[in-house]
């Protein structure tokens, strides 16, 4: 199974099995996520990486029931609950998601903060309303709002601005503070460092890392491999709607198993600084076999068939011709 690295440790906080998302369009269906299996444990920071358009954000929105009406979602996503049986996020219904999951058990840092913020509320009011909705006394909500602002690197004075008065980086930090306010067990952070300069990128990543050290879990969706390398415990590589590699972060960055993972690492400035050749396939016309084959130097006729995920060291790789374990990328 393509998923967590297995072994010991705490029971999974989130277990995803067979997640598939297809958008029904007039011309052709769009297969955005295909047969995805994944686990996230308390204390774990899982980084989902890959080129734009591979399905990373759709994965996040599917787990929280935030997809449009033309999305067809199948599979299972069990979320652990205190003092209750796990709930299937894909089948529990909107009412349960809205009242028990979103912004409570699971927080989301959205990829586009400008569209996620109420334009007629200042940042201070947005934070105070969120805190009060989750049990904070009105008299203490203001002080807690300023503490959250400081945690994410936002000047407390900027809380009195409206969203249209904030820079992209300020808005990004505000939505991060809003997602953290209820102290969710699982935080899904979709490109949370977008629009930030390097010191604030590192500040935000360290904040996410500290949540895991305190027992929370984080799914970091990012195209920034340097960010993933800084804080991730586990790396999940996504390509053309599928997970193709899930490995412990140190092993992935030391020696990836899938040729696509190796190509992503080769694109880093401190490595070969060489772009991945070619282009990903259209999600309306995914091939029956390995979608990376047209771009892969290791491809053979066997790649005309879809490879199954297979154990690879301490993780899994979906490839007919994985790189040697421990070999040079």
């Amino acid at each position: 199974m393509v998923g967590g690295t297995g072994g010991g440790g705490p029971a999974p906080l989130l277990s995803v099995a067979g997640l598939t998302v297809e958008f029904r369009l007039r011309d052709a269906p769009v297969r955005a996520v295909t047969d995805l299996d994944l686990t996230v444990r308390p204390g774990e920071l899982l980084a989902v990486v890959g080129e734009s358009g591979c399905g990373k954000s759709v994965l996040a929105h599917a787990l929280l029931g935030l997809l449009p009406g033309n999305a067809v979602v199948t599979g299972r996503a069990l979320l652990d609950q205190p003092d209750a049986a796990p709930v299937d996020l894909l089948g529990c219904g909107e009412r349960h998601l809205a009242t028990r999951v979103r912004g409570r058990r699971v927080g989301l840092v959205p990829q586009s903060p400008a569209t996620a913020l109420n334009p007629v509320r200042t940042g201070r009011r947005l934070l105070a309303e969120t805190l009060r909705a989750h049990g904070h006394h009105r008299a203490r909500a203001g002080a807690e709002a300023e503490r959250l602002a400081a945690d994410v690197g936002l000047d407390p004075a900027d809380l009195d601005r409206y969203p249209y008065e904030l820079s992209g980086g300020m808005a990004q930090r505000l939505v991060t503070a809003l997602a953290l306010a209820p102290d969710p067990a699982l935080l899904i952070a979709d490109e949370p460092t977008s629009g930030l300069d390097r010191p604030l990128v590192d500040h935000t990543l360290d904040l996410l890392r500290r949540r895991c050290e305190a027992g929370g879990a984080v799914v970091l969706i990012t195209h920034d491999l340097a960010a993933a390398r800084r804080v991730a415990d586990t790396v999940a590589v996504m390509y053309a709607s599928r997970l193709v590699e899930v490995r412990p972060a140190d092993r992935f960055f030391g020696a990836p198993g899938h040729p696509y993972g190796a190509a992503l690492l080769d694109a880093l400035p401190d490595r070969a600084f060489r772009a991945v050749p070619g282009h990903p396939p259209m999600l309306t016309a995914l091939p029956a076999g390995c979608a990376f084959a047209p771009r892969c130097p290791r491809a053979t006729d066997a790649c005309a068939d879809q490879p199954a995920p297979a154990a690879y060291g301490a993780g899994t790789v979906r490839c007919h011709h994985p790189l040697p374990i421990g070999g040079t990328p």
Side-chain angles (χ1 to χ4, degrees), residues 121-241:
R121 297 282 196 276
T122 64
R124 187 179 304 278
R125 185 171 176 184
L126 286 168
L127 272 172
E129 289 176 347
T130 300
L131 289 163
R132 290 199 300 271
H134 293 279
H136 287 260
H137 192 274
R138 178 182 294 270
R140 299 179 58 187
E144 183 67 8
E146 295 211 355
R147 184 192 67 78
L148 283 166
D151 280 352
V152 299
L154 188 65
D155 190 327
D158 292 325
L159 290 179
D160 295 315
R161 298 174 183 265
Y162 289 91
Y164 73 88
E165 298 177 302
L166 300 175
S167 68
M170 290 176 181
Q172 186 68 59
R173 281 171 275 168
L174 178 57
V175 294
T176 300
L178 288 165
L180 293 174
D183 193 24
L186 174 64
L187 180 69
I188 301 175
D190 192 357
E191 303 288 1
T193 59
S194 177
L196 303 183
D197 57 26
R198 198 70 231 179
L200 280 171
V201 168
D202 293 342
H203 179 95
T204 300
L205 294 172
D206 291 345
L207 177 65
L208 299 180
R209 183 68 256 171
R210 288 196 298 272
R211 287 195 62 78
C212 295
E213 291 168 356
V218 174
V219 175
L220 171 64
I221 295 172
T222 183
H223 65 272
D224 185 350
L225 285 170
R229 181 168 53 187
R230 181 181 175 92
V231 295
D233 298 301
T234 309
V235 174
V237 182
M238 200 164 185
Y239 183 76
S241 84

Side-chain angles (χ1 to χ4, degrees), residues 45-81:
L45 196 153
L46 169 72
V48 183
V49 304
E51 293 168 292
S52 296
C54 67
K56 303 188 300 295
S57 294
V58 174
L59 162 63
H61 292 169
L63 294 175
L64 289 171
L66 297 174
L67 295 174
N70 66 334
V72 178
V73 182
T74 57
R76 186 179 63 182
L78 296 181
L79 178 70
D80 186 52
Q81 298 187 109

Side-chain angles (χ1 to χ4, degrees), residues 254-266:
H258 196 283
Y260 178 60
L264 288 178
L265 293 182
D266 274 347

